[in-house]
């Protein structure tokens, strides 16, 4: 507060107006700061607290290098949402995950499973990068990223924005904060360059894949964990699609190959999520790949329906990149929901529930969705008391942009013979095909000097079991299965019954070496059609079985490796059709008496859902073709 004497002096010297002007400016600055929140850089610096000095040291370090300064700003601006978890239990579970991949699930007891049953890593404390990261770590990451990038001949084909998105980031998700670039580079760079030293970035990626496949990646999805981290994956290389993509991303970025991870939130056809890597070619083309399944090559398509595709960006953002896969399109739909609802969700159905894959703001009584995969079924919905409710009929869009509404015509009914409740995934089709040509023979002696033909799989199997009941009328003791020799042997189950339909005691005499300890020849006779035997190699070597004594066979039941989603005799089913805002309408329950169900009263044009009320979870929507066959 100014005293009267000072005020009088200022008035006499005509200083008061100037001072008042500065005061107004000061007050205006305070007001503007209050109305305009700080930008992302300042937000991270404030979040850092006592660690702010480390981030400011990075900015100061690069203040004379414009490009590296911009790179530092890119990381710091997006760092506020980056964190890892702190919990010793997580480290213990990671080790169990590796052990189970190495030695099988029997490496721990039920008591160990019970111990981890209720553990959720999401309840563990979070450690935010901004509050612990060091200037030394960030500077090393930035310098190494620039160094390898500047060495690569393809760098000239990419923008600085590409570099920031696909090379520069020091983390992927919620993995531990670790220094990895130099370690990965030192481990792989020389080997990759010895395979290929040219300028084609895709061929360089193929050289990396050669090394990846030689070192092997062990599939294991036990336990729910945060991202495992670069150093753990380099040492152990274990996990599911997420972990294999993480490992690939660390490796590619360490070598200066611009790469990202794309995924869908839920499959429009089968259950679960899936991730894969994507390489940005020098031509600007998208090159999606997944080392576990496919080669790196231009123009490749894994065939999986995706619906909506999102790219994981640094800082936790998921960027909608569906357009890069399927082009641009737009769907405008009439919606029917309360006026107070402002957000309309785009949902995909899988295994009994809907999952939101996009959200838009309503426009009056319409909702406009952009960039959807053609031929995928979507359901517009809204949230009501945390429950998703339909705003209309399900729909899909054709490749030419025409919208197809699944609006049931209750005046026009169809007959259908239903054989499955879930689509046959591409790899299951291969399992069914691999036993085409299998021959089953019997003999009274183990040397099979006088074998008789008991069964022959001449065509590709279309169900989950084959029954052979035209059996020669003389007893045998030994059975041999002669594989076609074109594929790995993959068998779910085989059972033999006498003429009184009594199951014969059977044991295995010999079989080709199994792929691993979980899928041995014992699975053929264990009574579980979901367990299966898989040979280690493609072979024509026979599987020989024996009965306890000579027996007359009345029937043979053969089950290929399968997912057990065919109609099963004895299970109770219920068929529903989707009827817009009215939801799911039942078409009745049936107990299966054969391997199919017959429904005569299905509204034409409807979207259908067949539930197995007895068991199982895998169920997916389908429609009917004009001939009444299911179309998943």
């Amino acid at each position: 507060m100014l005293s009267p004497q000072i005020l009088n002096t200022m008035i006499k010297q005509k200083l008061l107006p100037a001072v008042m002007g500065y005061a107004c400016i000061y007050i205006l600055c305070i007001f503007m700061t209050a109305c305009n929140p700080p930008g992302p850089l300042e937000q991270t610096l404030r979040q850092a607290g006592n660690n702010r000095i480390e981030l400011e040291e990075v900015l100061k370090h690069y203040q004379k290098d414009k490009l590296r300064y911009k790179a530092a700003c890119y990381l710091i601006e997006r760092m506020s949402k980056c964190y890892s978890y702190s919990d010793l239990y997580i480290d213990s579970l990671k080790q169990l995950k590796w052990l189970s991949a190495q030695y099988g699930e029997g490496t721990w007891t039920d008591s160990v499973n019970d111990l981890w049953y209720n553990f959720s890593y999401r309840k563990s404390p979070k450690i935010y990068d901004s509050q612990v990261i060091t200037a030394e770590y960030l500077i090393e990451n930035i310098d190494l990223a620039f160094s390898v990038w500047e060495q690569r001949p393809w760098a000239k084909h990419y923008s600085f924005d590409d570099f920031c998105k696909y090379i520069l980031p020091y983390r992927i998700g919620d993995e531990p904060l670790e220094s990895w670039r130099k370690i990965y580079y030192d481990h792989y760079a020389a080997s990759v360059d010895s395979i290929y030293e040219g300028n084609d970035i895709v061929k360089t990626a193929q050289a990396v894949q050669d090394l990846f496949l030689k070192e092997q990646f062990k599939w294991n999805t036990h336990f729910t964990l945060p991202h495992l981290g670069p150093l753990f994956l380099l040492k152990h290389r274990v996990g599911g699609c997420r972990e294999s993509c993480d490992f690939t991303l660390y490796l590619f970025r360490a070598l200066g190959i611009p790469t990202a991870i794309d995924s869908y939130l839920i499959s429009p056809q089968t259950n679960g999520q899936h991730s894969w890597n994507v390489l940005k070619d020098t031509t600007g083309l998208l090159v999606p790949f997944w080392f576990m399944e496919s080669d790196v090559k231009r123009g490749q398509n894994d065939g999986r329906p995706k619906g909506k595709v999102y790219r994981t960006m640094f800082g936790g953002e998921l960027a909608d990149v569906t357009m890069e896969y399927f082009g641009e399109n737009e769907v405008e739909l009439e919606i029917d929901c309360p006026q107070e609802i402002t957000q309309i969700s785009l949902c995909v159905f899988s295994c009994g529930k809907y999952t939101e894959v996009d959200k838009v703001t309503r426009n009056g009584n319409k909702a406009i969705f952009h960039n959807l995969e053609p031929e995928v079924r979507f359901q517009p919905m809204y949230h009501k008391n945390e429950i998703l409710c339909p705003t209309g009929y399900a729909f899909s869009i054709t490749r030419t942009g025409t919208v197809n509404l699944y609006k049931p015509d209750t005046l026009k009914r169809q007959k259908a013979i239903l054989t499955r409740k879930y689509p046959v995934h591409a790899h299951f089709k291969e399992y069914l095909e691999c036993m085409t040509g299998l021959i089953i023979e019997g003999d009274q002696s183990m040397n099979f000097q006088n074998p008789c033909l008991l069964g022959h799989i001449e065509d590709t199997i279309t169900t989950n079991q084959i029954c052979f009941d035209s059996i020669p009328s003389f007893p045998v003791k030994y059975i041999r299965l002669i594989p076609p020799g074109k594929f790995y042997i993959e068998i779910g189950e085989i059972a033999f019954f006498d003429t009184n339909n009594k199951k014969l005691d059977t044991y295995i005499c010999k079989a080709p070496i199994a792929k691993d300890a979980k899928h041995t020849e014992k699975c053929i006779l264990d009574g579980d059609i979901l367990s299966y035997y898989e040979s280690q190699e493609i072979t024509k070597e026979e599987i020989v079985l024996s009965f306890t004594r000579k027996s007359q066979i009345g029937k043979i039941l053969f089950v290929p490796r399968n997912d057990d989603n065919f109609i099963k005799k004895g299970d109770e089913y219920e068929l529903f059709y989707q009827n817009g805002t009215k939801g799911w309408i039942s078409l009745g329950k049936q107990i299966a008496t054969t391997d199919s169900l017959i429904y005569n009263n299905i509204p034409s044009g409807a979207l259908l859902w067949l539930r197995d009320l007895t068991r199982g979870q895998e169920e997916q929507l389908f429609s009917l073709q004009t001939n009444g066959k299911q179309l998943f």
Side-chain angles (χ1 to χ4, degrees), residues 162-352:
D162 290 331
F163 167 77
C164 289
K165 288 179 178 177
Y166 305 127
I167 297 293
L168 179 65
Y170 60 85
R171 71 152 64 249
I172 298 173
D174 51 12
E175 71 271 30
L177 191 61
E178 297 171 332
S179 181
W180 53 271
R181 284 188 185 272
K182 187 176 187 303
I183 297 172
Y184 271 71
Y185 183 87
D186 290 346
H187 192 85
Y188 288 102
S191 298
V192 172
D193 290 342
S194 69
I195 299 173
Y196 178 75
E197 292 186 286
N199 298 335
D200 189 328
I201 195 170
V202 173
K203 290 184 178 179
T204 303
Q206 290 169 351
V208 177
Q209 184 176 23
D210 287 345
L211 296 176
F212 177 94
L213 295 177
K214 287 178 182 177
E215 294 183 343
Q216 296 185 337
F217 191 94
K218 294 186 178 295
W219 188 263
N220 184 284
T221 55
H222 290 303
F223 310 123
T224 302
L225 287 164
H227 290 259
L228 300 181
L231 301 187
F232 181 90
L233 287 174
L234 181 63
K235 183 178 180 181
H236 298 305
R237 285 186 287 278
V238 61
C241 60
R242 184 188 71 172
E243 285 72 32
S244 67
C245 290
D246 285 359
F247 175 78
T248 304
L249 194 69
Y250 295 129
L251 175 52
F252 272 45
R253 288 182 175 176
L255 298 178
I257 303 173
T259 317
I261 296 175
D262 288 356
S263 60
Y264 48 71
L265 305 180
I266 192 73
S267 169
Q269 189 178 68
T270 56
N271 186 26
Q273 300 173 315
H274 181 56
S275 301
W276 61 94
N277 293 105
V278 57
L279 167 68
K280 186 168 185 180
D281 195 3
T282 51
T283 62
L285 293 175
L286 191 74
V287 184
F289 65 95
W290 183 34
F291 277 168
M292 299 289 289
E293 183 178 75
S294 59
D295 295 331
V296 187
K297 59 183 179 182
R298 296 176 176 90
Q300 184 166 253
N301 183 353
D302 66 3
R304 285 182 172 87
K306 300 170 177 63
K308 294 287 289 184
V309 182
Y310 291 92
R311 183 163 299 156
T312 303
M313 309 300 290
F314 177 71
E317 175 192 0
L318 289 178
D320 186 343
V321 294
T322 313
M323 181 183 67
E324 295 184 30
Y325 288 81
F326 307 108
E328 294 184 82
N329 54 50
E330 179 181 292
V331 176
E332 183 179 88
L333 297 173
E334 295 280 348
I335 56 172
D336 183 3
C337 62
Q339 287 298 319
E340 63 268 19
I341 300 298
T342 60
Q343 298 292 306
I344 305 300
S345 299
L346 183 71
C347 297
V348 167
F349 182 94
S350 181
C351 296

Side-chain angles (χ1 to χ4, degrees), residues 414-420 567 594-600 602 622 624 627-630:
Q414 279 185 277
K415 175 183 177 180
I417 300 175
L418 309 182
T419 58
R420 280 183 65 87
I567 301 303
T594 65
D595 59 0
S596 64
L597 300 168
I598 298 176
Y599 278 87
N600 295 297
I602 302 175
F622 61 94
L624 294 180
N627 60 5
K629 290 187 176 181
Q630 293 174 273

Side-chain angles (χ1 to χ4, degrees), residues 406-431:
Y406 291 93
K407 188 175 181 178
D409 185 349
T410 56
L411 299 179
K412 186 179 179 182
R413 303 276 176 162
Q414 279 185 277
K415 175 183 177 180
I417 300 175
L418 309 182
T419 58
R420 280 183 65 87
K421 61 187 180 69
Y422 194 67
V424 180
H425 196 280
H427 60 264
F428 275 108
K429 290 181 181 178
E430 294 174 3
Y431 303 151

Side-chain angles (χ1 to χ4, degrees), residues 123-142:
K123 297 177 183 178
S124 303
K126 291 179 181 178
I127 303 176
Y128 283 89
D129 290 3
S130 63
Q131 297 172 355
V132 296
I133 204 166
T134 64
E136 180 184 9
Y137 177 91
L138 264 185
I139 290 170
E140 179 194 52
N141 178 81
I142 293 169

Side-chain angles (χ1 to χ4, degrees), residues 487-603:
F487 309 94
Y488 296 94
I489 303 173
E490 305 204 52
I491 300 175
E493 193 77 13
I494 191 165
F496 302 87
F497 300 84
D498 65 16
T499 53
N500 294 318
N501 206 32
K502 182 181 178 182
K503 190 174 181 180
L504 295 169
D505 292 334
T506 311
Y507 64 91
I508 296 168
C509 299
K510 70 170 187 172
I513 298 173
K515 180 180 180 180
D516 54 48
K518 187 178 180 181
H519 302 109
T520 68
E521 60 275 13
K522 293 179 181 178
C523 296
I524 296 175
L525 302 173
D526 65 357
D528 181 0
I529 68 171
L530 283 175
S531 70
Y532 61 92
Y533 160 70
E534 182 178 6
S535 63
Q536 188 179 68
E537 299 176 348
I538 296 174
T539 179
K540 285 189 174 182
E541 185 180 347
E542 303 163 354
I543 299 174
V544 178
L545 312 170
S546 176
F547 304 136
T548 54
R549 61 180 182 276
K550 292 179 183 179
S551 303
Q552 172 64 49
I553 301 174
K555 180 177 71 174
I556 301 173
L557 188 66
F558 178 86
V559 179
R561 178 181 174 183
N562 73 101
D563 60 357
D564 197 23
N565 285 311
F566 291 93
I567 301 303
K568 185 173 182 180
K569 183 179 178 180
D571 282 9
E572 184 178 16
Y573 295 87
E574 185 171 12
L575 182 64
F576 295 86
Y577 72 93
Q578 208 287 327
N579 196 21
T581 57
K582 296 178 181 178
W584 293 104
I585 308 298
S586 176
L587 287 167
K589 299 178 182 179
Q590 290 188 34
I591 295 177
T593 57
T594 65
D595 59 0
S596 64
L597 300 168
I598 298 176
Y599 278 87
N600 295 297
N601 60 338
I602 302 175

